[in-house]
Amino acid sequence: MSALKRHQDLTAIWGNEPGWRGYLRSVNHSDIGKRFIVAAFVFFAIGGVLAMLIRAQLATPRSAFVGPEVYNQLFTMHGSIMMFLFAIPMFEGLTMYLLPKMLGSRDLAFPRLSSLGWWCYLFGGTIIVLAMLAGVAPDAGWFLYPPLSGKTYTPGINSDVWLLGITFVEISAMCAAIEITVSILKLRAAGMRFDRMPIFAWYLLGTAGMMVFGFPPLILGSILLEVERAFGWPFYSPELGGSPLLWQHLFWLFGHPEVYIIFLPAAGAVSTILPVMARTRLLGYGAIVAAVMALAFLSFGLWVHHMFTTGIPHMALGFFSAASALVAIPTAVQIFAWLGTLWQGRPEMKLPMLYLVGFFIVFVLGGLTGVMLAMVPFDAQAHDTAFVTAHLHYVLVGGFVFPMLAAAYYWLPHITGRERVMRVGEAAFWLIFIGFNLTFFMMHLTGLLGMPRRIDTYPEGMGWTWLNLLSSVGGFLQAFGFALFLIDVVLQIWLGRVHRRNPWGATTLEWAMPIPSTTYNFASLPTVTTRDPLADDPDLGVALARGEGLLAEARHGWRETLAVDMTSGTPEHVAILPGNSWLPIATAAMLGGFFLMMLAGLYALAPVFLVGTVWLGWRWAWTNGTRGDVGMVPIGGGQSLPTSFEAPRTTGWWGSVFALAASATLFASLLFGYAFLWTIAPNWPPPALIPPSLVVPLLAIAGAAAAGIAVRAGRMPIVLGGHLAIVAALILLLTTTPGPSTHAYAATSAALAAYGLFHAGLAAIMTGFVMARAKAGFHSAARATEPRILRLWSDHGAGAGAFIALLLVLPGWFA
Amino acid sequence: MWWVMLGGSAVLAGLVFVLLALAFRRRDRGRGGERTASGRLWIGGLGLAMPVVVLLALVGYALTVGIGTLPTPDPRAVEVRVNARQYAWDMVHPGGIRTQNVLHIPAGRPADLVITSSDVIHSFWIPRLAGKMDAIPGHTNRLRIVADTPGTYRGECAEYCGVGHKDHNFTVVAHDAAGWTAFTEGAR
């Protein structure tokens, strides 16, 4: 078969239909990745305009440009947009685009899930921006502390926009987290052992793992606050046994890992680009992997340092202060590994390298002010001043924006297939670099002179006037720099000359393909024996295009890629990925309907959309699988493997494992809230407890035991009955629970019961699904993936349901 | 504290920047031949050992400084209750003297402030006297301050608390011994 014929066959399988239909139905990782990047840049521009308005307001003392009402919306939206609608989606987009190409795969593990994430992001972000244009943007700070964000002090829908819109967008973050984790663990090139993975994949594995465990506390906190605002359940109201501190714990339990979730992908880009720019290999691969894992772990021990002034005991402060300083060590390991890499190589000042130098300077300064802030006595002075604003911009812009600009210039040829024109990029760099330092270095000084954050005007004669004016001038220089960057990109797309393959002489697999890349990435899949496949064989890309690798044959219209054993990279099965579909956009629209109903206060209509989502989910799952055994299929090189229809541990099974890990984290956060309020919050004990009952726990435990045993024996009707028993027990429990709006005890109890109901109910629906599928002929002795996946969800639903039923009646027994 | 950290930071930043610049200068000398950098020196020494030493010293120092600011029991201390609300500060001094937006304390003696809030979260901050302490509804926090010299000091709210946050300020009057007696006598 000729390379051209193979290209045509594969394009027919992996490509999109023409026109809008193709656009709306596409699930291809390159398409979705590029959309994330473009949309994130648009939101970056919107957030940047808000920053310009803030700097215009602060340029002079006693400015009358905007009043405090508008100014509060400005800084709240600037922070929220940059964090949730720019930084996270930007790296998600870059990752979605690059990761399969770097790993030698044709797509991500769950292409439809990436598409769902994209539409959720687009719809959620649009809601937030439209609310801002309507003048009802969130105005309680990007951290949304209650009670200020609660119903009493923010009666309008401003806080609801944040809670619902951001939670909607977080669906895409959770999708991406599971997607990235499973793709890195399972969908790699043959022979790509853990220690042969590109360093970028290690960084993303750490990041995605942090997202799996970091986002659930925020999602839980947002749900609780929205329920408090909508239905008056007093989780955060001290007069009814709640505590505003609970929100701070949940928010920063997410908020600090968030900083590293943003930094690690950018650092991964640095570790990838820097050695290429220095024409050498990365120094200390193993040490960097260890540093990444240490950062991912340590960052969960730091959240309290955002709460140093909330009256936490001094010894606890000492512990968290030490932990905060400790994270500087893995960061230092990376910095010096990069310096050592430059030292051993011959660095060339090409454009991406220029941005990396900018990153070094800005980020190191930001890191050092961070260590200063980690010291409690200093933090108590500088907390909530412009010094902190300056520090966080040095870290985030230095640690994220500069590496992302380097990454943009490094990988743009891959996306456009073109060379850049003239030297616009250098001019943009100097404008951004000088503008940035002018803006934020001055803010260190105004902060030390005592200028607080979040004030809309300030008097003359405080010594802040000139510094603020300089900051504003710097801000506008930056804006010109970013505009120039955008012009540069557009020029490259329109006017750039067509570029040869692998322009930088890189050694990773994403360059072993024609640029711009094809929809299917590799005409045949590579087998790797080292960490730098292109260094061993510079013509690998040509050989792959000729069909000399694995899975070179286009057959049955299947989207095939290779799934490997996690650690050794031995080929394990052929993953057959789903094709283009209306389901992702339809599901996102259905979820959007739910969020809009909640926002509009039409609480009676909202559940309709949830039922619609379940129905779509059922149909979605129904499209997978096959009604006949496929057996072993040849993959080339004389080898044969089973397909994902018949493999024991599919990507779907692993995806369920991580989805349940995220849900369990949410559950653990809720249990933490229950215990926290019980021990710390004022106005306890509650006026009435759940009355002691033997029926509720016994029914739930019996149901859980039956489900647990039957799911292993394959007796699906009994599994279904077991879960329905748990549902009945928890509903019975809820009928005896005191009204959830009377006290935080009743509210958290009802929330726990709702969690159990959700998972037992979900397991019941999934059991019904598996029964219907078996009847329709989708299961056989070989095709047993779905019952295996059900076992995970059933066990979780049964365990959580029984545990909650028992936990909630205990206080009544002992009272 | 501040000068130690500033000096240390300048040295560290300088080290990184000099190494960065030297890496580029090295490029121009001696082309040819594979060069390797020592992982043990760069990562073990500079990346691991150096920050461990620096941070241990810094954290130990900060903890000692921090312990010095803790409210240890002191018979000379006066206690003032502070309640924050949108957008005022209500103080209750010894003897039940109530004021709004003005805090009276004796100079040279420790004052223990018992801080809470009756609506949203605020933060009590007198930049020249002490660090901040949050005022959180449903919780009380204690903060010890000492004004060594009599005079007036500016105080402000350091946690964003809504539209009036910017002007949510107060003043502190530190009295000399005679002035303090006069203030407390005034209550009777």
Side-chain angles (χ1 to χ4, degrees):
Chain A
M1 195 194 294
S2 75
L4 183 63
K5 176 75 171 63
R6 181 172 290 107
H7 170 72
Q8 287 164 347
D9 289 354
L10 285 168
T11 304
I13 292 175
W14 292 85
N16 297 333
E17 300 101 321
W20 277 101
R21 186 181 154 82
Y23 180 84
L24 297 174
R25 283 163 48 87
S26 173
V27 298
N28 183 285
H29 74 100
S30 296
D31 289 348
I32 305 288
K34 282 186 273 188
R35 286 181 205 172
F36 263 100
I37 292 171
V38 170
F41 193 83
V42 170
F43 283 115
F44 177 70
I46 295 172
V49 168
L50 297 179
M52 291 303 98
L53 295 175
I54 293 173
R55 281 316 327 168
Q57 169 76 8
L58 292 182
T60 52
R62 299 199 186 286
S63 167
F65 178 54
V66 295
E69 292 84 3
V70 175
Y71 185 79
N72 294 348
Q73 292 191 19
L74 288 180
F75 70 69
T76 301
M77 287 300 286
H78 170 71
S80 304
I81 286 182
M82 288 305 192
M83 281 286 182
F84 296 106
L85 302 183
F86 160 64
I88 295 177
M90 179 58 92
F91 92 73
E92 284 171 3
L94 185 73
T95 307
M96 286 181 175
Y97 180 84
L98 279 179
L99 201 55
K101 301 178 174 75
M102 282 187 161
L103 296 173
S105 163
R106 284 184 178 141
D107 207 325
L108 292 162
F110 311 111
R112 290 184 180 175
L113 198 64
S114 0
S115 176
L116 171 69
W118 154 250
W119 294 113
C120 287
Y121 164 50
L122 183 69
F123 295 162
T126 308
I127 290 175
I128 295 172
V129 170
L130 287 181
M132 182 176 75
L133 295 179
V136 289
D139 56 358
W142 83 279
F143 39 80
L144 218 76
Y145 280 176
L148 182 59
S149 60
K151 200 77 184 166
T152 319
Y153 302 102
T154 309
I157 66 165
N158 311 51
S159 298
D160 302 310
V161 168
W162 194 99
L163 292 165
L164 295 167
I166 296 292
T167 304
F168 198 9
V169 173
E170 289 333 317
I171 294 177
S172 85
M174 290 313 298
C175 290
I178 295 169
E179 172 100 276
I180 293 168
T181 313
V182 177
S183 299
I184 295 173
L185 292 178
K186 293 304 287 182
L187 300 190
R188 305 202 298 264
M192 190 181 274
R193 300 188 317 223
F194 263 156
D195 61 339
R196 290 177 188 159
M197 287 205 310
I199 191 75
F200 190 72
W202 274 111
Y203 276 97
L204 263 300
L205 189 60
T207 309
M210 290 171 74
M211 288 169 76
V212 167
F213 297 106
F215 273 99
L218 173 72
I219 293 174
L220 174 74
S222 304
I223 293 173
L224 297 187
L225 185 50
E226 182 55 33
V227 169
E228 170 166 328
R229 286 182 54 89
F231 307 115
W233 296 20
F235 300 104
Y236 305 114
S237 306
E239 57 276 16
L240 290 174
S243 172
L245 284 178
L246 175 60
W247 169 268
Q248 295 198 15
H249 280 291
L250 292 175
F251 186 84
W252 292 117
L253 205 49
F254 146 82
H256 200 84
E258 155 84 350
V259 175
Y260 293 89
I261 288 170
I262 291 173
F263 169 62
L264 281 183
V270 174
S271 285
T272 307
I273 301 170
L274 191 89
V276 178
M277 292 294 124
R279 289 176 294 174
T280 182
R281 305 286 165 82
L282 184 64
L283 178 72
Y285 176 91
I288 289 184
V289 170
V292 169
M293 294 301 142
L295 266 182
F297 181 77
L298 285 174
S299 67
F300 282 93
L302 302 182
W303 82 96
V304 171
H305 81 203
H306 296 270
M307 301 168 63
F308 273 170
T309 60
T310 57
I312 291 190
H314 191 74
M315 268 335 282
L317 288 187
F319 171 79
F320 284 105
S321 180
S324 304
L326 204 59
V327 287
I329 293 171
T331 313
V333 166
Q334 292 178 70
I335 297 267
F336 285 100
W338 293 328
L339 285 174
T341 305
L342 286 177
W343 197 261
Q344 79 174 359
R346 293 186 193 81
E348 293 179 297
M349 198 50 101
K350 290 179 179 160
L351 189 53
M353 190 66 223
L354 188 60
Y355 281 93
L356 289 184
V357 170
F359 148 77
F360 261 102
I361 294 171
V362 173
F363 183 70
V364 168
L365 291 175
L368 291 169
T369 51
V371 174
M372 295 183 196
L373 287 172
M375 300 304 125
V376 178
F378 181 72
D379 183 65
Q381 283 296 331
H383 185 85
D384 261 298
T385 66
F387 188 89
V388 176
T389 317
H391 157 71
L392 73 92
H393 281 89
Y394 265 80
V395 173
L396 290 174
V397 175
F400 186 76
V401 177
F402 276 98
M404 281 295 126
L405 288 167
Y409 279 114
Y410 179 76
W411 278 300
L412 253 178
H414 196 288
I415 295 177
T416 63
R418 288 168 191 276
E419 288 178 3
R420 65 194 186 87
V421 287
M422 301 182 285
R423 295 173 69 81
V424 184
E426 277 82 355
F429 170 80
W430 288 110
L431 277 175
I432 295 171
F433 183 76
I434 295 172
F436 174 83
N437 282 294
L438 189 58
T439 312
F440 291 105
F441 193 80
M442 299 306 152
M443 286 174 70
H444 285 124
L445 304 179
T446 40
L448 289 173
L449 290 174
M451 177 163 165
R453 298 168 77 176
R454 305 190 183 99
I455 56 166
D456 60 320
T457 56
Y458 52 93
E460 298 104 340
M462 302 293 290
W464 305 340
T465 310
W466 275 103
L467 295 170
N468 269 302
L469 185 61
L470 285 176
S471 281
S472 295
V473 170
F476 283 89
L477 278 184
Q478 267 183 93
F480 285 122
F482 283 110
L484 209 53
F485 166 77
L486 182 64
I487 291 170
D488 193 20
V489 173
V490 173
L491 283 179
Q492 173 171 340
I493 293 170
W494 280 349
L495 303 177
R497 286 188 306 162
V498 174
H499 212 313
R500 65 178 196 282
R501 280 183 186 211
N502 197 0
W504 310 106
T507 61
T508 38
L509 282 175
E510 81 271 25
W511 299 104
M513 60 180 68
I515 55 173
S517 67
T518 54
T519 49
Y520 53 84
N521 291 347
F522 302 96
S524 62
L525 300 182
T527 301
V528 301
T529 50
T530 64
R531 209 176 285 153
D532 304 282
L534 284 190
D536 311 328
D537 179 7
D539 297 321
L540 180 65
V542 180
L544 294 177
R546 280 203 303 262
E548 292 171 16
L550 302 173
L551 295 179
E553 187 191 343
R555 55 191 163 195
H556 314 309
W558 283 349
R559 296 192 173 193
E560 295 177 47
T561 194
L562 202 60
V564 299
D565 176 69
M566 235 179 243
T567 42
S568 68
T570 317
E572 194 183 81
H573 65 263
V574 178
I576 296 172
L577 302 172
N580 296 339
S581 166
W582 290 111
L583 284 164
I585 186 171
T587 309
M590 196 65 89
L591 285 167
F594 169 75
F595 284 108
L596 282 177
M597 290 304 121
M598 290 296 293
L599 197 55
L602 302 170
Y603 302 125
L605 283 177
V608 175
F609 289 90
L610 285 188
V611 173
T613 307
V614 172
W615 174 68
L616 283 169
W618 181 292
R619 294 202 42 187
W620 182 322
W622 198 270
T623 56
N624 299 324
T626 162
R627 283 191 161 95
D629 285 353
V630 177
M632 304 286 268
V633 295
I635 62 165
Q639 301 178 69
S640 288
L641 287 178
T643 62
S644 49
F645 302 131
E646 290 159 27
R649 290 276 182 267
T650 58
T651 50
W653 190 87
W654 283 106
S656 292
V657 168
F658 290 107
L660 286 172
S663 180
T665 310
L666 186 127
F667 182 40
S669 309
L670 187 54
L671 285 175
F672 164 78
Y674 184 72
F676 177 84
L677 290 181
W678 197 297
T679 48
I680 304 285
N683 296 319
W684 283 67
L689 293 174
I690 294 174
S693 155
L694 271 179
V695 181
V696 167
L698 288 182
L699 184 60
I701 291 169
I709 296 166
V711 80
R712 282 163 177 75
R715 307 285 291 275
M716 293 307 160
I718 300 177
V719 182
L720 184 61
H723 285 294
L724 292 179
I726 299 172
V727 168
L730 289 172
I731 290 177
L732 189 62
L733 180 80
L734 277 175
T735 57
T736 61
T737 306
S741 52
T742 56
H743 193 269
Y745 161 77
T748 38
S749 298
L752 280 166
Y755 179 87
L757 269 179
F758 175 81
H759 270 282
L762 187 63
I765 293 172
M766 291 173 85
T767 313
F769 177 82
V770 167
M771 289 161 73
R773 294 276 283 183
K775 208 172 160 199
F778 282 97
H779 298 165
S780 72
R783 285 170 288 129
T785 299
E786 285 169 3
R788 270 194 205 98
I789 292 175
L790 173 66
R791 188 191 291 184
L792 294 171
W793 292 88
S794 171
D795 286 354
H796 183 76
F803 177 77
I804 290 166
L806 189 61
L807 176 80
L808 291 183
V809 295
L810 277 181
W813 275 343
F814 288 108
Chain B
M1 177 93 199
W2 163 243
W3 293 110
V4 176
M5 290 202 297
L6 185 67
S9 298
V11 170
L12 288 174
L15 173 71
V16 170
F17 297 153
V18 166
L19 287 174
L20 185 64
L22 284 181
F24 278 93
R25 282 191 59 85
R26 259 170 68 96
R27 157 188 76 165
D28 304 329
R29 286 182 276 120
R31 297 191 166 268
E34 223 14 54
R35 275 184 307 199
T36 52
S38 152
R40 179 177 293 189
L41 169 70
W42 283 95
I43 294 168
L46 289 169
L48 204 58
M50 184 188 71
V52 168
V53 173
V54 171
L55 291 173
L56 271 182
L58 193 54
V59 170
Y61 182 48
L63 270 183
T64 356
V65 172
I67 284 170
T69 66
L70 284 184
T72 44
D74 189 331
R76 297 168 59 239
V78 297
E79 188 174 286
V80 182
R81 279 184 290 141
V82 177
N83 182 61
R85 60 185 165 90
Q86 287 177 331
Y87 297 97
W89 300 89
D90 301 313
M91 327 285 182
V92 182
H93 298 86
I97 308 171
R98 292 170 180 274
T99 57
Q100 197 177 88
N101 295 338
V102 184
L103 171 66
H104 296 271
I105 53 170
R109 280 170 64 184
D112 286 344
L113 309 177
V114 182
I115 301 167
T116 188
S117 160
S118 54
D119 44 38
V120 304
I121 297 175
H122 305 268
S123 192
F124 180 94
W125 188 28
I126 311 162
R128 285 171 59 199
L129 293 187
K132 308 172 172 96
M133 189 54 80
D134 289 357
I136 303 167
H139 297 266
T140 52
N141 285 324
R142 293 181 78 87
L143 176 70
R144 167 162 298 182
I145 58 173
V146 183
D148 291 328
T149 48
T152 57
Y153 302 86
R154 196 172 55 87
E156 60 193 56
C157 176
E159 184 65 60
Y160 171 63
C161 62
V163 169
H165 168 60
K166 172 182 49 107
D167 298 318
H168 193 204
N169 303 326
F170 57 93
T171 43
V172 183
V173 182
H175 298 277
D176 55 20
W180 179 247
T181 314
F183 173 72
T184 45
E185 293 296 317
R188 308 221 172 96

